[in-house]
Amino acid sequence: MDRQAIIQWLRETEPNRLSELWRLADDLRRREVGEQVHLRGLIEFSNYCRRNCGYCGLRIDNREVERYRMCESEILGCAEQARSFGYGTVVLQSGEDCGFAADWLARIIERIKQTTGLAVTLSLGERAEADLRTWKAAGADRYLLRFETANPQLFEHIHPPVGGEKSDRIQLLRTLRELGYEIGSGVMIGIPGQTFEDLAVDLETFRELNLDMIGVGPFIPHQATPLHAEFMAAQDRPEQVPNTEAMTYKAIALARLLCPRANIPSTTALATLNKATGRELGLQRGANVVMPNLTPPEYRAMYEIYPAKACIAETAEQCHGCMKRRILQLGRKLGVGPGHSPNFRAPHLAEQSTASAWPPA
Ligand code: 5AD
Ligand code: SF4
Ligand code: FES
């Protein structure tokens, strides 16, 4: 599929043609990654952030946010809960928090691996290579870092450099891969200034990077950020990608077609646009992963990347029950085992079935 074909799909509005896109993505998902929906337990362990991203409610200039960092025993408690729910993975997510030592987190990763055996995914923003190495050695399996947009001007505009240091997330993703991480990335759909051509290039970049995981969700404007006003101003431009539910499904379906074996979540941002059936429709249009929230209730509301985030008032138990019910109602299966990307597993390791070593002791 070339760029023009991608753009044509992104601009498609005819219902029968769109049904065809959903069917192609769903068929390929079934064939390449099967009926299992993998559950990744999300632990938002710190909302401190040194950055000032123009889109994010946790940006350093937002003084309205009360900041928190969970302690080791709280994080280990969440990981234990993930194990008891039967999840294969925990995702440790934070802002670019420079208030903890790399060794502190390394010890937590080691403990999670020792006590639960779960796969550990990190989502901590841009970090020093030495720290990424330390966490890999401690047992971390995967790293999520969205490049947000492949357009360098747009990226710099929405993601101002810290201390004059330019970010190169694409390069950092390549470094992560060399360090042995499974790598995940993604973009927001409908950032003000994002054109159809931009989004098509983003999708091509997923393919080029040979990503193991791809997360896409709608951009949701947050009042306390500069992109809120830009969003309002951008809406009547013909080239502006809308931040709609439909556009998000198109991006999920196209990501599946371009990267058949990637793990693709049906994201919380999508569920935020359509709380009733957004997650389900994502899973039926290319996605094969969900990320139930394990963050303790007292911290959830403080992790407000964007407003009206789904699951903000629920407990881990409630999200667990909700997610399980939704997956089974679709006629899909609950994921068993760590759910590594079949894309990542080297061919010579293919017979070492991860399922046979499951559940961990
Ligand atoms: N709307 C939607 N997604 C957002 N993110 C950050 N701010 C917003 C927003 N306002 C996404 C970014 C980031 C991920 C953790 O959350 O893509 O990488
Ligand atoms: Fe910080 Fe991440 Fe939000 Fe940017 S998107 S301000 S790095 S938490
Ligand atoms: Fe959290 Fe449904 S997954 S309430």
Side-chain angles (χ1 to χ4, degrees):
M1 192 165 16
D2 66 8
R3 190 170 307 170
Q4 281 319 312
I6 297 174
I7 293 176
Q8 209 163 26
W9 276 124
L10 292 173
R11 289 193 178 275
E12 185 61 62
T13 55
E14 213 274 302
N16 289 325
R17 292 280 296 150
L18 286 175
S19 302
E20 179 65 11
L21 178 60
W22 313 147
R23 195 187 58 74
L24 286 171
D26 198 39
D27 286 351
L28 195 60
R29 184 273 307 156
R30 187 177 307 109
R31 185 144 25 98
E32 297 292 338
V33 294
E35 296 289 37
Q36 290 189 29
V37 176
H38 297 289
L39 296 122
R40 321 297 201 197
L42 178 64
I43 309 173
E44 297 155 330
F45 71 91
S46 161
N47 70 351
Y48 282 93
C49 188
R50 66 181 187 129
R51 285 209 174 258
N52 220 4
C53 299
Y55 43 87
C56 176
L58 300 184
R59 65 204 305 270
I60 193 166
D61 279 357
N62 187 4
R63 301 293 150 88
E64 302 297 304
V65 183
E66 196 186 328
R67 305 283 168 168
Y68 71 90
R69 184 180 305 115
M70 288 164 59
C71 69
E72 171 170 343
S73 68
E74 286 175 308
I75 298 171
L76 294 175
C78 290
E80 175 49 34
Q81 207 168 21
R83 194 200 54 78
S84 77
F85 289 156
Y87 300 167
T89 300
V90 285
V91 181
L92 299 177
Q93 186 171 81
S94 69
E96 272 185 39
D97 180 0
C98 35
F100 63 79
D103 287 342
W104 172 80
L105 189 63
R107 189 184 137 81
I108 292 173
I109 295 167
E110 278 165 12
R111 292 290 302 265
I112 293 176
K113 299 299 288 189
Q114 280 163 8
T115 59
T116 70
L118 299 182
V120 172
T121 302
L122 303 179
S123 174
L124 315 170
E126 296 162 42
R127 300 283 168 159
E129 188 173 332
D131 296 351
L132 298 170
R133 211 179 279 281
T134 300
W135 297 326
K136 187 78 196 65
D141 300 274
R142 314 185 184 127
Y143 204 98
L144 300 177
L145 183 70
R146 290 188 179 180
F147 60 79
E148 315 294 2
T149 169
N151 175 331
Q153 287 82 34
L154 183 58
F155 182 70
E156 211 176 310
H157 174 64
I158 66 173
H159 186 88
V162 169
E165 208 181 312
K166 275 204 187 174
S167 307
D168 189 346
R169 290 193 166 192
I170 306 242
Q171 184 50 45
L172 195 50
L173 284 162
R174 294 191 208 276
T175 302
L176 285 159
R177 152 119 333 128
E178 278 163 26
L179 291 174
Y181 286 97
E182 271 181 65
I183 57 168
S185 193
V187 299
M188 287 174 285
I189 312 297
I191 309 165
Q194 180 185 54
T195 65
F196 283 88
E197 168 107 13
D198 285 332
L199 183 53
V201 175
D202 294 342
L203 289 158
E204 288 180 319
T205 306
F206 296 164
R207 177 170 58 188
E208 240 172 74
L209 288 170
N210 189 21
L211 294 175
D212 304 303
M213 305 168 280
I214 300 169
V216 296
F219 166 70
I220 302 174
H222 189 302
Q223 278 282 1
T225 65
L227 284 200
H228 190 271
E230 289 186 34
F231 173 79
M232 298 302 168
Q235 292 317 299
D236 45 7
R237 295 187 209 136
E239 284 307 310
Q240 172 63 47
V241 172
N243 66 337
T244 55
E245 204 186 328
M247 192 58 68
T248 306
Y249 298 133
K250 290 180 193 174
I252 291 176
L254 290 167
R256 173 60 66 202
L257 297 185
L258 293 164
C259 307
R261 314 192 76 183
N263 281 325
I264 302 180
S266 187
T267 56
T268 307
L270 174 58
T272 297
L273 288 197
N274 175 354
K275 293 202 165 90
T277 59
R279 272 193 219 282
E280 281 85 345
L281 289 169
L283 288 173
Q284 290 177 309
R285 296 170 176 182
N288 70 320
V289 167
V290 290
M291 298 172 69
N293 199 324
L294 291 169
T295 310
E298 62 268 38
Y299 302 125
R300 279 194 193 202
M302 291 187 243
Y303 207 85
E304 198 191 49
I305 298 178
Y306 48 80
K309 198 169 151 215
C311 307
I312 207 94
E314 277 76 12
T315 63
E317 284 84 1
Q318 285 170 325
C319 287
H320 175 57
C322 171
M323 218 61 110
K324 215 165 117 175
R325 185 163 20 84
R326 287 171 190 258
I327 293 166
L328 297 174
Q329 264 169 9
L330 288 177
R332 301 274 278 277
K333 299 189 174 100
L334 296 175
V336 176
H340 290 303
S341 165
N343 188 39
F344 180 74
R345 219 180 306 153
H348 66 282
L349 295 175
E351 299 85 328
Q352 282 185 18
S353 165
T354 43
S356 64
W358 204 265

mmCIF file of all heavy atoms in Angstrom, residues 46-60 67 93-97 123-126 148 158-159 169 188 303 305, ligand 2:
data_model
loop_
_atom_site.group_PDB
_atom_site.id
_atom_site.type_symbol
_atom_site.label_atom_id
_atom_site.label_comp_id
_atom_site.label_asym_id
_atom_site.label_seq_id
_atom_site.Cartn_x
_atom_site.Cartn_y
_atom_site.Cartn_z
ATOM 1 N N SER A 46 3.852 7.623 38.550
ATOM 2 C CA SER A 46 4.268 8.994 38.885
ATOM 3 C C SER A 46 3.749 9.953 37.828
ATOM 4 O O SER A 46 3.826 9.657 36.626
ATOM 5 C CB SER A 46 5.798 9.079 38.947
ATOM 6 O OG SER A 46 6.216 10.432 38.826
ATOM 7 N N ASN A 47 3.245 11.114 38.265
ATOM 8 C CA ASN A 47 2.791 12.120 37.289
ATOM 9 C C ASN A 47 3.723 13.332 37.259
ATOM 10 O O ASN A 47 3.376 14.352 36.683
ATOM 11 C CB ASN A 47 1.330 12.533 37.544
ATOM 12 C CG ASN A 47 1.162 13.339 38.815
ATOM 13 O OD1 ASN A 47 2.092 13.471 39.604
ATOM 14 N ND2 ASN A 47 -0.028 13.885 39.024
ATOM 15 N N TYR A 48 4.906 13.203 37.890
ATOM 16 C CA TYR A 48 5.903 14.267 37.746
ATOM 17 C C TYR A 48 6.406 14.262 36.319
ATOM 18 O O TYR A 48 6.621 13.195 35.740
ATOM 19 C CB TYR A 48 7.092 14.043 38.698
ATOM 20 C CG TYR A 48 6.800 14.425 40.119
ATOM 21 C CD1 TYR A 48 6.337 13.470 41.021
ATOM 22 C CD2 TYR A 48 6.989 15.731 40.561
ATOM 23 C CE1 TYR A 48 6.060 13.811 42.340
ATOM 24 C CE2 TYR A 48 6.720 16.073 41.871
ATOM 25 C CZ TYR A 48 6.250 15.117 42.750
ATOM 26 O OH TYR A 48 5.984 15.465 44.047
ATOM 27 N N CYS A 49 6.598 15.450 35.760
ATOM 28 C CA CYS A 49 7.143 15.504 34.414
ATOM 29 C C CYS A 49 7.937 16.778 34.230
ATOM 30 O O CYS A 49 7.505 17.857 34.620
ATOM 31 C CB CYS A 49 6.047 15.425 33.358
ATOM 32 S SG CYS A 49 6.770 15.248 31.717
ATOM 33 N N ARG A 50 9.119 16.644 33.606
ATOM 34 C CA ARG A 50 9.979 17.815 33.384
ATOM 35 C C ARG A 50 9.659 18.494 32.061
ATOM 36 O O ARG A 50 10.230 19.527 31.731
ATOM 37 C CB ARG A 50 11.443 17.391 33.400
ATOM 38 C CG ARG A 50 11.804 16.493 32.246
ATOM 39 C CD ARG A 50 13.264 16.060 32.312
ATOM 40 N NE ARG A 50 13.610 15.334 31.092
ATOM 41 C CZ ARG A 50 14.668 15.612 30.343
ATOM 42 N NH1 ARG A 50 15.494 16.570 30.680
ATOM 43 N NH2 ARG A 50 14.909 14.907 29.255
ATOM 44 N N ARG A 51 8.748 17.901 31.274
ATOM 45 C CA ARG A 51 8.480 18.434 29.929
ATOM 46 C C ARG A 51 7.290 19.366 29.901
ATOM 47 O O ARG A 51 6.515 19.446 30.849
ATOM 48 C CB ARG A 51 8.230 17.300 28.947
ATOM 49 C CG ARG A 51 9.481 16.614 28.597
ATOM 50 C CD ARG A 51 9.425 16.029 27.209
ATOM 51 N NE ARG A 51 10.735 15.511 26.932
ATOM 52 C CZ ARG A 51 11.628 16.120 26.168
ATOM 53 N NH1 ARG A 51 11.343 17.223 25.539
ATOM 54 N NH2 ARG A 51 12.830 15.598 26.006
ATOM 55 N N ASN A 52 7.131 19.991 28.767
ATOM 56 C CA ASN A 52 6.068 20.971 28.596
ATOM 57 C C ASN A 52 5.323 20.712 27.289
ATOM 58 O O ASN A 52 5.065 21.641 26.524
ATOM 59 C CB ASN A 52 6.680 22.368 28.608
ATOM 60 C CG ASN A 52 5.814 23.339 29.382
ATOM 61 O OD1 ASN A 52 4.798 22.956 29.979
ATOM 62 N ND2 ASN A 52 6.178 24.604 29.351
ATOM 63 N N CYS A 53 4.992 19.467 27.052
ATOM 64 C CA CYS A 53 4.305 19.112 25.804
ATOM 65 C C CYS A 53 3.039 19.953 25.662
ATOM 66 O O CYS A 53 2.279 20.115 26.615
ATOM 67 C CB CYS A 53 3.952 17.633 25.782
ATOM 68 S SG CYS A 53 5.405 16.577 25.889
ATOM 69 N N GLY A 54 2.813 20.479 24.464
ATOM 70 C CA GLY A 54 1.702 21.391 24.227
ATOM 71 C C GLY A 54 0.338 20.738 24.317
ATOM 72 O O GLY A 54 -0.674 21.430 24.347
ATOM 73 N N TYR A 55 0.302 19.399 24.359
ATOM 74 C CA TYR A 55 -0.968 18.674 24.330
ATOM 75 C C TYR A 55 -1.339 18.047 25.669
ATOM 76 O O TYR A 55 -2.484 17.634 25.861
ATOM 77 C CB TYR A 55 -0.905 17.556 23.272
ATOM 78 C CG TYR A 55 0.409 16.768 23.276
ATOM 79 C CD1 TYR A 55 0.601 15.678 24.094
ATOM 80 C CD2 TYR A 55 1.468 17.166 22.446
ATOM 81 C CE1 TYR A 55 1.797 14.983 24.098
ATOM 82 C CE2 TYR A 55 2.665 16.471 22.447
ATOM 83 C CZ TYR A 55 2.828 15.382 23.276
ATOM 84 O OH TYR A 55 4.019 14.722 23.278
ATOM 85 N N CYS A 56 -0.401 17.983 26.609
ATOM 86 C CA CYS A 56 -0.584 17.082 27.751
ATOM 87 C C CYS A 56 -0.868 17.816 29.058
ATOM 88 O O CYS A 56 -0.171 18.772 29.411
ATOM 89 C CB CYS A 56 0.665 16.230 27.902
ATOM 90 S SG CYS A 56 0.627 15.162 29.346
ATOM 91 N N GLY A 57 -1.862 17.345 29.782
ATOM 92 C CA GLY A 57 -2.261 17.948 31.047
ATOM 93 C C GLY A 57 -1.210 17.829 32.145
ATOM 94 O O GLY A 57 -1.276 18.533 33.155
ATOM 95 N N LEU A 58 -0.220 16.954 31.956
ATOM 96 C CA LEU A 58 0.802 16.770 32.998
ATOM 97 C C LEU A 58 2.020 17.661 32.777
ATOM 98 O O LEU A 58 2.990 17.601 33.535
ATOM 99 C CB LEU A 58 1.245 15.298 33.057
ATOM 100 C CG LEU A 58 0.145 14.280 33.365
ATOM 101 C CD1 LEU A 58 0.745 12.877 33.491
ATOM 102 C CD2 LEU A 58 -0.610 14.643 34.631
ATOM 103 N N ARG A 59 1.977 18.496 31.743
ATOM 104 C CA ARG A 59 3.115 19.379 31.427
ATOM 105 C C ARG A 59 3.506 20.197 32.661
ATOM 106 O O ARG A 59 2.686 20.558 33.493
ATOM 107 C CB ARG A 59 2.761 20.294 30.251
ATOM 108 C CG ARG A 59 1.640 21.273 30.553
ATOM 109 C CD ARG A 59 0.944 21.706 29.271
ATOM 110 N NE ARG A 59 1.881 22.253 28.302
ATOM 111 C CZ ARG A 59 2.224 23.535 28.217
ATOM 112 N NH1 ARG A 59 1.711 24.426 29.053
ATOM 113 N NH2 ARG A 59 3.077 23.939 27.306
ATOM 114 N N ILE A 60 4.806 20.516 32.728
ATOM 115 C CA ILE A 60 5.357 21.135 33.941
ATOM 116 C C ILE A 60 4.672 22.462 34.263
ATOM 117 O O ILE A 60 4.497 22.811 35.432
ATOM 118 C CB ILE A 60 6.889 21.291 33.819
ATOM 119 C CG1 ILE A 60 7.505 21.637 35.173
ATOM 120 C CG2 ILE A 60 7.277 22.309 32.759
ATOM 121 C CD1 ILE A 60 9.016 21.465 35.213
ATOM 122 N N ARG A 67 0.997 16.625 42.289
ATOM 123 C CA ARG A 67 1.943 15.599 41.815
ATOM 124 C C ARG A 67 2.086 14.477 42.837
ATOM 125 O O ARG A 67 2.028 14.699 44.043
ATOM 126 C CB ARG A 67 3.300 16.239 41.529
ATOM 127 C CG ARG A 67 3.256 17.420 40.560
ATOM 128 C CD ARG A 67 3.099 16.991 39.119
ATOM 129 N NE ARG A 67 2.770 18.133 38.255
ATOM 130 C CZ ARG A 67 2.793 18.093 36.917
ATOM 131 N NH1 ARG A 67 3.124 16.978 36.287
ATOM 132 N NH2 ARG A 67 2.460 19.153 36.205
ATOM 133 N N GLN A 93 4.219 3.221 33.878
ATOM 134 C CA GLN A 93 4.168 4.481 33.129
ATOM 135 C C GLN A 93 4.314 5.679 34.056
ATOM 136 O O GLN A 93 3.806 5.669 35.173
ATOM 137 C CB GLN A 93 2.844 4.576 32.359
ATOM 138 C CG GLN A 93 2.779 5.785 31.445
ATOM 139 C CD GLN A 93 1.571 5.758 30.520
ATOM 140 O OE1 GLN A 93 0.480 6.112 30.923
ATOM 141 N NE2 GLN A 93 1.766 5.334 29.288
ATOM 142 N N SER A 94 5.014 6.706 33.566
ATOM 143 C CA SER A 94 5.144 7.957 34.325
ATOM 144 C C SER A 94 5.404 9.098 33.346
ATOM 145 O O SER A 94 5.636 8.871 32.157
ATOM 146 C CB SER A 94 6.314 7.860 35.311
ATOM 147 O OG SER A 94 7.549 7.839 34.621
ATOM 148 N N GLY A 95 5.375 10.311 33.853
ATOM 149 C CA GLY A 95 5.881 11.433 33.073
ATOM 150 C C GLY A 95 7.399 11.323 33.008
ATOM 151 O O GLY A 95 7.977 10.344 33.489
ATOM 152 N N GLU A 96 8.051 12.308 32.433
ATOM 153 C CA GLU A 96 9.521 12.287 32.456
ATOM 154 C C GLU A 96 9.970 12.765 33.823
ATOM 155 O O GLU A 96 10.406 13.901 34.006
ATOM 156 C CB GLU A 96 10.099 13.142 31.313
ATOM 157 C CG GLU A 96 10.256 12.300 30.056
ATOM 158 C CD GLU A 96 10.925 13.024 28.906
ATOM 159 O OE1 GLU A 96 11.855 13.784 29.124
ATOM 160 O OE2 GLU A 96 10.512 12.825 27.783
ATOM 161 N N ASP A 97 9.826 11.890 34.771
ATOM 162 C CA ASP A 97 10.097 12.159 36.177
ATOM 163 C C ASP A 97 11.590 11.991 36.420
ATOM 164 O O ASP A 97 12.117 10.880 36.289
ATOM 165 C CB ASP A 97 9.272 11.160 37.017
ATOM 166 C CG ASP A 97 9.472 11.355 38.512
ATOM 167 O OD1 ASP A 97 10.244 12.252 38.913
ATOM 168 O OD2 ASP A 97 8.843 10.596 39.281
ATOM 169 N N SER A 123 7.167 2.809 30.111
ATOM 170 C CA SER A 123 6.664 3.935 29.318
ATOM 171 C C SER A 123 6.984 5.188 30.125
ATOM 172 O O SER A 123 6.176 5.680 30.911
ATOM 173 C CB SER A 123 5.158 3.761 29.109
ATOM 174 O OG SER A 123 4.599 4.889 28.465
ATOM 175 N N LEU A 124 8.215 5.693 29.982
ATOM 176 C CA LEU A 124 8.768 6.706 30.885
ATOM 177 C C LEU A 124 9.291 7.918 30.135
ATOM 178 O O LEU A 124 10.006 8.742 30.701
ATOM 179 C CB LEU A 124 9.937 6.095 31.686
ATOM 180 C CG LEU A 124 9.725 4.692 32.296
ATOM 181 C CD1 LEU A 124 11.041 4.157 32.835
ATOM 182 C CD2 LEU A 124 8.682 4.738 33.397
ATOM 183 N N GLY A 125 8.956 8.011 28.850
ATOM 184 C CA GLY A 125 9.438 9.140 28.059
ATOM 185 C C GLY A 125 10.872 8.941 27.602
ATOM 186 O O GLY A 125 11.359 7.810 27.524
ATOM 187 N N GLU A 126 11.532 10.061 27.313
ATOM 188 C CA GLU A 126 12.894 10.014 26.766
ATOM 189 C C GLU A 126 13.889 9.936 27.918
ATOM 190 O O GLU A 126 13.931 10.811 28.774
ATOM 191 C CB GLU A 126 13.148 11.267 25.924
ATOM 192 C CG GLU A 126 12.243 11.328 24.704
ATOM 193 C CD GLU A 126 12.149 12.729 24.097
ATOM 194 O OE1 GLU A 126 13.181 13.420 23.988
ATOM 195 O OE2 GLU A 126 11.024 13.115 23.731
ATOM 196 N N GLU A 148 4.555 10.459 18.229
ATOM 197 C CA GLU A 148 3.485 11.484 18.196
ATOM 198 C C GLU A 148 3.180 12.042 16.808
ATOM 199 O O GLU A 148 2.026 12.238 16.460
ATOM 200 C CB GLU A 148 3.763 12.667 19.160
ATOM 201 C CG GLU A 148 4.253 12.291 20.565
ATOM 202 C CD GLU A 148 3.236 11.535 21.424
ATOM 203 O OE1 GLU A 148 2.131 11.255 20.946
ATOM 204 O OE2 GLU A 148 3.577 11.198 22.579
ATOM 205 N N ILE A 158 4.887 20.967 19.045
ATOM 206 C CA ILE A 158 4.021 20.455 20.127
ATOM 207 C C ILE A 158 4.836 19.882 21.279
ATOM 208 O O ILE A 158 4.299 19.608 22.350
ATOM 209 C CB ILE A 158 3.025 19.383 19.607
ATOM 210 C CG1 ILE A 158 3.745 18.115 19.142
ATOM 211 C CG2 ILE A 158 2.145 19.960 18.501
ATOM 212 C CD1 ILE A 158 2.813 16.970 18.777
ATOM 213 N N HIS A 159 6.136 19.713 21.063
ATOM 214 C CA HIS A 159 6.987 19.014 22.032
ATOM 215 C C HIS A 159 8.280 19.809 22.194
ATOM 216 O O HIS A 159 9.325 19.428 21.670
ATOM 217 C CB HIS A 159 7.272 17.611 21.465
ATOM 218 C CG HIS A 159 8.022 16.701 22.384
ATOM 219 N ND1 HIS A 159 7.392 15.903 23.301
ATOM 220 C CD2 HIS A 159 9.331 16.428 22.500
ATOM 221 C CE1 HIS A 159 8.292 15.190 23.940
ATOM 222 N NE2 HIS A 159 9.482 15.488 23.489
ATOM 223 N N ARG A 169 12.999 10.949 18.782
ATOM 224 C CA ARG A 169 12.356 9.742 19.308
ATOM 225 C C ARG A 169 12.534 8.550 18.372
ATOM 226 O O ARG A 169 12.609 7.415 18.825
ATOM 227 C CB ARG A 169 10.875 10.016 19.578
ATOM 228 C CG ARG A 169 10.688 10.944 20.767
ATOM 229 C CD ARG A 169 9.256 10.976 21.245
ATOM 230 N NE ARG A 169 9.197 11.594 22.569
ATOM 231 C CZ ARG A 169 8.141 11.565 23.364
ATOM 232 N NH1 ARG A 169 7.028 10.955 22.993
ATOM 233 N NH2 ARG A 169 8.179 12.133 24.546
ATOM 234 N N MET A 188 -0.875 10.479 17.998
ATOM 235 C CA MET A 188 -2.232 10.948 18.271
ATOM 236 C C MET A 188 -2.893 11.304 16.946
ATOM 237 O O MET A 188 -2.235 11.788 16.030
ATOM 238 C CB MET A 188 -2.192 12.179 19.175
ATOM 239 C CG MET A 188 -1.812 11.840 20.602
ATOM 240 S SD MET A 188 -1.606 13.328 21.599
ATOM 241 C CE MET A 188 -0.041 13.937 21.010
ATOM 242 N N TYR A 303 -3.748 11.698 37.257
ATOM 243 C CA TYR A 303 -3.025 11.362 36.024
ATOM 244 C C TYR A 303 -3.871 11.789 34.829
ATOM 245 O O TYR A 303 -4.221 11.007 33.964
ATOM 246 C CB TYR A 303 -2.705 9.862 35.978
ATOM 247 C CG TYR A 303 -1.477 9.537 35.158
ATOM 248 C CD1 TYR A 303 -0.202 9.603 35.718
ATOM 249 C CD2 TYR A 303 -1.584 9.185 33.820
ATOM 250 C CE1 TYR A 303 0.928 9.321 34.967
ATOM 251 C CE2 TYR A 303 -0.458 8.903 33.061
ATOM 252 C CZ TYR A 303 0.793 8.968 33.640
ATOM 253 O OH TYR A 303 1.919 8.691 32.895
ATOM 254 N N ILE A 305 -3.901 13.239 31.750
ATOM 255 C CA ILE A 305 -3.220 13.635 30.509
ATOM 256 C C ILE A 305 -4.180 14.448 29.654
ATOM 257 O O ILE A 305 -3.817 15.440 29.049
ATOM 258 C CB ILE A 305 -2.770 12.367 29.751
ATOM 259 C CG1 ILE A 305 -1.783 11.564 30.589
ATOM 260 C CG2 ILE A 305 -2.168 12.724 28.407
ATOM 261 C CD1 ILE A 305 -1.344 10.272 29.928
HETATM 262 FE FE1 SF4 B 2 5.304 14.768 30.202
HETATM 263 FE FE2 SF4 B 2 4.608 12.707 28.671
HETATM 264 FE FE3 SF4 B 2 2.828 14.628 29.254
HETATM 265 FE FE4 SF4 B 2 4.861 15.167 27.603
HETATM 266 S S1 SF4 B 2 3.177 13.664 27.229
HETATM 267 S S2 SF4 B 2 4.173 16.469 29.331
HETATM 268 S S3 SF4 B 2 6.513 13.915 28.472
HETATM 269 S S4 SF4 B 2 3.768 13.210 30.707
#
